Amino acid sequence: VGPHCGTCATLKPVLHQLVSDRQEIVALVEIDIAEEFELAIEMGIYSTPTVILFKQKQVLATLVGLQPKKRYAEAIDQCSEQT
């Protein structure tokens, strides 16, 4: 989450709330792509905000751009149900 990303700042409390409601199944890791540029390139992050959902090191979903809260909740729930 970069300090100059307005949409990231808008999304941050939404994600924190969703994670708080699901803390037994999900963890949130925030990365400032300006500081972690190489990791961002490696992960294919070219736009912000980008939310990548992993399960056991496998990418299950990627959401790019600001989405409705419901879309993030659905993606988290769907990924948590996958085996």
Side-chain angles (χ1 to χ4, degrees):
V1 176
H4 304 292
C5 176
T7 53
C8 297
T10 300
L11 179 57
K12 188 174 181 174
V14 172
L15 291 179
H16 280 271
Q17 179 62 52
L18 291 171
V19 169
S20 175
D21 294 344
R22 296 162 176 80
Q23 58 187 324
E24 68 283 350
I25 61 169
V26 67
L28 179 63
V29 177
E30 299 175 42
I31 298 170
D32 182 342
I33 64 169
E35 293 182 16
E36 299 291 340
F37 183 74
E38 290 180 20
L39 177 60
I41 296 299
E42 182 180 318
M43 298 300 305
I45 300 171
Y46 299 103
S47 297
T48 57
T50 296
V51 174
I52 303 173
L53 301 172
F54 294 88
K55 189 169 188 176
Q56 298 176 351
K57 299 182 183 180
Q58 180 182 359
V59 175
L60 298 180
T62 302
L63 299 129
V64 179
L66 191 59
Q67 308 281 327
K69 180 178 179 179
K70 181 179 178 179
R71 178 66 191 111
Y72 293 105
E74 290 170 349
I76 293 168
D77 293 341
Q78 288 171 359
C79 289
S80 69
E81 294 170 1
Q82 293 184 19
T83 56

